[in-house]
Amino acid sequence: ARPPSTVTGHDGGVDISWESIASVATPIGLLATIYQLRQARQALRDAFERSFVDRYQHIAAQIDLDVLLERQRADLTDPLVRRAFFDYFVLCEEELYFRAHRKIDAGTWKDWWYGMRRHLKSASFAQAFEELVAAPARVHTDDIDRFPYLLEAFEHREDTGIYSPVQTSALRAVVGIVR
C-alpha cells in the first residue's frame, strides 16, 4: 500500500507527493508575494511623487504664463504673486528634503531638478528667491534653517549636471554636519 500523501498515475508509474508539490509551490508563492509588495511600493511612491506634481501645477497656475516662459518679470509687489513664489520655494525645499532621504526616485528627481534649475535661473524666480529666502536667511539666522536644502541647491543652479541632495546629505553625515 502507498502512503496517503502520494499520488500514483493511472499507469501506476508516476509518484508525486504533496511534499514535492509544496516544495515547488512555496517558492513560487514567495516570489509572487515579493512581486506584489514591490508593485504596491511603487504605486505608493508614484502617488507620493504625483502629489508634488499636482502641487506644482496648482502653484504654476497662479503665476503668469509670460513669467513662467521668461517673457516678462513677475510683479513681486503683488502679495498673491509673492505667495505663489513662496509656495513654490516651500515645495522645492520639500522635494529636495525627500530626495536627500531617498524618497524620490532618481529618474523623477532628474526631471524635477531640470525644471527647478530652469526656474531658479530665471530672473523672476531668482529675484523672488533673493527677497523671500536668501535675504531673510542672512538677516535672521533662524531663517537659514527654514530652507537649508534650497539655499544649497540655489548655488548649483548654473551646474550642467544633476545636483543631488542625496550626495550632499551623505557628505554632511560623514563630516558630522546636521541640518
Side-chain angles (χ1 to χ4, degrees):
R2 298 197 186 274
S5 64
T6 302
V7 176
T8 303
H10 70 282
D11 63 357
V14 178
D15 290 335
I16 301 174
S17 70
W18 292 113
E19 290 83 13
S20 297
I21 294 171
S23 69
V24 172
T26 300
I28 291 172
L30 181 61
L31 290 174
T33 301
I34 290 170
Y35 175 78
Q36 288 175 336
L37 288 172
R38 285 188 178 180
Q39 292 297 100
R41 182 178 179 190
Q42 186 61 47
L44 286 172
R45 178 176 277 195
D46 290 348
F48 178 68
E49 292 174 357
R50 181 67 201 174
S51 72
F52 286 94
V53 172
D54 292 344
R55 286 174 57 199
Y56 170 77
Q57 290 174 342
H58 176 77
I59 293 166
Q62 298 173 35
I63 299 173
D64 188 292
L65 181 60
D66 287 332
V67 172
L68 291 173
L69 297 175
E70 302 178 48
R71 294 182 192 151
Q72 73 182 43
R73 298 286 293 265
D75 177 11
L76 294 175
T77 62
D78 181 336
L80 295 176
V81 172
R82 289 175 68 84
R83 182 61 202 215
F85 277 97
F86 186 81
D87 290 345
Y88 175 72
F89 297 138
V90 169
L91 176 65
C92 289
E93 180 69 16
E94 290 176 16
E95 291 172 350
L96 287 155
Y97 172 85
F98 284 115
R99 178 61 191 143
H101 292 87
R102 299 181 188 272
K103 303 296 182 194
I104 303 294
D105 180 74
T108 300
W109 176 250
K110 177 183 174 185
D111 294 339
W112 288 3
W113 171 246
Y114 285 141
M116 191 182 301
R117 183 179 66 190
R118 182 171 180 255
H119 284 320
L120 293 175
K121 288 170 67 171
S122 80
S124 291
F125 280 82
Q127 179 185 354
F129 178 85
E130 176 60 29
E131 290 181 24
L132 300 171
V133 177
R138 285 193 300 273
V139 174
H140 307 287
T141 55
D142 292 345
D143 283 351
I144 203 161
D145 291 331
R146 185 181 302 167
F147 293 101
Y149 292 100
L150 186 57
L151 285 163
E152 190 166 318
F154 190 77
E155 299 302 318
H156 295 276
R157 70 190 183 283
E158 299 296 334
D159 295 355
T160 56
I162 301 169
Y163 167 72
S164 176
V166 171
Q167 296 158 346
T168 306
S169 64
L171 179 61
R172 281 192 198 112
V174 169
V175 295
I177 300 171
V178 178
R179 283 200 176 171

